Amino acid sequence: MTDAETADVETTDVVVVGAGPTGLMLAGELRLGGARVVVVERLPEPSGQSRGLGFTARAMEVLDQRGVLPLFGEELETSPEGHFGGLRFDYSVLPGAHFGARGIPQARTEAVLEEWAGGLGADIRRGWELTGLTDLGDAVQATVHTPEGVRRLRCAYLVGCDGGRSPVRTAAGFDFPGTPATREMYLADVAGCAVRPRFLGERLPGGMVMAAPLRDGVDRVIVCPDRAPVRGPGERPGFAEVAAAWRRITGEDIGGGRAEWVSRFTDATRQVTEYRRGRILLAGDAAHVHLPAGGQGLSTGLQDAVNLGWKLAATIQGWAPPGLLDTYHSERHAVGARLLMNTRAQGTLYLGGAETEPLRALFAELLVHPDVRRHLAGVVSGLDIRHPMGTDGHPLAGRRLPPLPLRTAAGTVTTTRLLRSAQGVLLDLADDAGLRAAAAGWKDRVVTVTGTPDADGPLAGAAALLVRPDGYVAWAGGDGDGLSGALRRWFGPPAEGGRALHHDQEDTA
């Protein structure tokens, strides 16, 4: 009998594999929903390395919804100027949009999320490496190698948040179609060179380069040489190779600097065909890999986690309506497909040679039009996401609830703050006792808030909104029957008795 067969079996609700931003965000979301969660991470300590350097506008809103953004302890710097495939424009042409928070190392994001999720009760175990898993039909069993030996974890669901080479994805047999890498690119954090900043990149005859200061004396450089061959898995470039490529493209010598970290990436583009197979699910890079254009990868993973967390917790807690967990795939697979589309388009524009000059010229002409700029700003920022809600097509349904102030009997509160507890929210914007009564049976899952928005804001004219825990509007209107249908669809059957929790009765914000 093997060690794995004789090891003790520990039970929990969810096992999350991977303690990167996606896994830690998911762990916190599950805890907010009342689920027990164990996060297993093969690295004994955080690596301190940071591929990502910030997050998009929508990811900032998501972090703020949960009260995570203030944990960074500083006002995050954003820039209205961004680009699409290297073609620059002002993102603020779209209300609420910007080019994201810049210069936030991924290691810092992970530290903040680990503090938050751990504070909520997530059990984060480092030095625990998944070595096998089995979907038993009514549970999942994971075999894990730990510093103390082999352990087995039995859970209701297991989620792979373990990166682009996901062992969970491989072990569970997910299909991962797409296009293989055609080029290789380098990144390095270099000390002692005083590199000229190129925040949005610079295209030159030999390729494209980017540079940004990380802290005093240290710069992040990214080098994208034309036609650089793709090396095998596990092979990494040395700093001398990165410096040589930088010099060929820019004519500048950074070889005298000291590299704190060197890595590579490619333009491989793949997406799993299904985000869920029975009791095993994928999120973040485990579900989709792509060219890192516009800082969208980490941000998309965070949003995968927020979409999945409340649905999975509701399923575990027993109040999820039929099919709720399946909407994780239907909603986020569509978002992931658009992500791959826009990053491939940006790669063609940014990294293509002379043959793509006509395409760049055409995009430059199109960017003269405000509608085009608004569309592209929405694509990259994540503010254009609209989930199908199966409602009557109200213009707010399926879209994110923007951060706005509401005047209530208890004072002014922001829509962002109302989502801190990861519950549903019914915004009664017309002081309608009938709608409040219609929602009374869901008081344990949906907070009712009566308030008045700004007269000229995006909620002007709306009578009521039902907002899901992830911040997306599930229903908008003024009809009690329509509200009851939406509540049943997203929050299950009503509880017996009870009255709706009202914002001026209890401060849940």
Side-chain angles (χ1 to χ4, degrees):
M1 185 174 290
T2 66
D3 288 341
E5 290 169 330
T6 59
D8 292 337
V9 178
E10 180 183 356
T11 62
T12 189
D13 292 330
V14 182
V15 169
V16 174
V17 182
T22 301
L24 293 169
M25 189 79 203
L26 178 59
E29 292 291 305
L30 289 166
R31 289 299 303 139
L32 285 171
R36 298 173 300 158
V37 58
V38 173
V39 180
V40 298
E41 167 56 55
R42 67 178 182 83
L43 295 178
E45 300 290 340
S47 70
Q49 298 175 352
S50 298
R51 281 182 174 265
L53 286 178
F55 21 81
T56 62
R58 179 57 188 157
M60 286 186 70
E61 290 182 355
V62 164
L63 291 169
D64 205 18
Q65 285 173 185
R66 298 299 188 250
V68 175
L69 212 55
L71 298 180
F72 284 86
E74 57 198 51
E75 185 174 350
L76 303 185
E77 180 182 352
T78 63
S79 171
E81 184 182 31
H83 72 89
F84 188 88
L87 299 169
R88 303 184 183 198
F89 66 99
D90 188 343
Y91 273 50
S92 63
V93 68
L94 178 71
H98 50 75
F99 199 53
R102 318 316 302 166
I104 309 298
Q106 181 174 324
R108 173 67 175 145
T109 301
E110 290 177 2
V112 167
L113 288 171
E114 183 163 357
E115 175 188 354
W116 172 70
L120 291 170
D123 187 350
I124 302 166
R125 304 181 185 181
R126 294 190 173 274
W128 286 47
E129 181 175 6
L130 180 81
T131 57
L133 60 85
T134 305
D135 189 337
L136 303 174
D138 62 343
V140 178
Q141 185 162 289
T143 303
V144 186
H145 180 77
T146 81
E148 291 75 37
V150 174
R151 297 285 299 275
R152 287 187 293 172
L153 296 171
R154 187 181 178 96
C155 54
Y157 293 90
L158 183 143
V159 187
C161 302
D162 49 345
R165 297 177 181 172
S166 168
V168 172
R169 184 183 66 229
T170 301
F174 284 82
D175 292 329
F176 197 41
T179 58
T182 63
R183 66 170 69 227
E184 184 170 280
M185 294 151 276
Y186 317 125
L187 61 84
D189 293 345
V190 185
C193 284
V195 181
R196 175 170 64 85
R198 299 166 173 89
F199 293 103
L200 300 182
E202 181 179 7
R203 293 188 66 256
L204 294 163
M208 191 275 289
V209 295
M210 302 179 76
L214 292 180
R215 58 185 185 276
D216 288 346
V218 180
D219 298 283
R220 163 68 54 87
V221 299
I222 296 176
V223 194
C224 305
D226 287 344
R227 294 175 294 279
V230 180
R231 68 194 76 204
E235 298 181 53
R236 291 182 178 272
F239 178 56
E241 185 177 354
V242 176
W246 182 273
R247 185 167 187 170
R248 284 196 304 272
I249 296 171
T250 68
E252 301 170 3
D253 186 3
I254 61 173
R258 176 180 58 83
E260 296 186 342
W261 178 53
V262 177
S263 188
R264 70 183 183 106
F265 60 97
T266 73
D267 60 349
T269 303
R270 297 185 181 277
Q271 184 184 25
V272 290
T273 56
E274 51 191 345
Y275 280 31
R276 175 191 178 195
R277 297 194 71 184
R279 293 181 175 271
I280 300 171
L281 303 101
L282 301 176
D285 290 349
H288 41 75
V289 296
H290 54 90
L291 184 74
Q296 297 177 79
L298 183 155
S299 298
T300 301
L302 294 178
Q303 292 170 77
D304 286 347
V306 173
N307 184 288
L308 173 60
W310 73 276
K311 298 172 181 177
L312 188 51
T315 301
I316 290 165
Q317 297 286 42
W319 61 259
L324 179 66
L325 191 54
D326 290 332
T327 66
Y328 169 61
H329 166 82
S330 62
E331 292 179 355
R332 294 307 297 176
H333 188 277
V335 171
R338 277 181 60 79
L339 168 69
L340 267 58
M341 177 269 291
N342 98 65
T343 53
R344 289 188 70 186
Q346 292 198 66
T348 300
L349 288 168
Y350 221 162
L351 304 178
E355 71 279 4
T356 62
E357 285 298 340
L359 188 60
R360 281 191 284 268
L362 177 61
F363 262 79
E365 289 183 3
L366 291 173
L367 281 168
V368 171
H369 302 285
D371 284 350
V372 173
R373 298 198 299 274
R374 280 191 289 270
H375 179 79
L376 294 180
V379 167
V380 178
S381 68
L383 300 187
D384 75 335
I385 293 170
R386 187 173 192 180
H387 297 309
M389 294 295 173
T391 58
D392 59 3
H394 192 285
L396 294 172
R399 298 196 179 277
R400 88 199 206 282
L401 178 68
L404 297 166
L406 285 178
R407 296 182 297 280
T408 76
T412 299
V413 65
T414 64
T415 53
T416 298
R417 191 169 179 83
L418 291 173
L419 292 163
R420 290 282 168 88
S421 64
Q423 293 178 286
V425 178
L426 173 62
L427 295 181
D428 168 24
L429 305 177
D431 196 6
D432 188 329
L435 286 179
R436 296 197 295 270
W442 288 267
K443 70 171 187 177
D444 57 330
R445 285 151 279 168
V446 178
V447 177
T448 298
V449 180
T450 297
T452 305
D454 289 341
D456 57 351
L459 303 187
L465 304 177
L466 177 64
V467 185
R468 305 189 319 188
D470 58 1
Y472 285 87
V473 177
W475 170 88
D479 172 60
D481 290 340
L483 172 60
S484 295
L487 285 163
R488 288 178 180 275
R489 179 181 182 191
W490 295 106
F491 297 97
E496 294 297 327
R499 88 195 137 82
L501 180 63
H502 209 230
H503 185 69
D504 56 9
Q505 297 162 351
E506 180 176 328
D507 183 10
T508 60

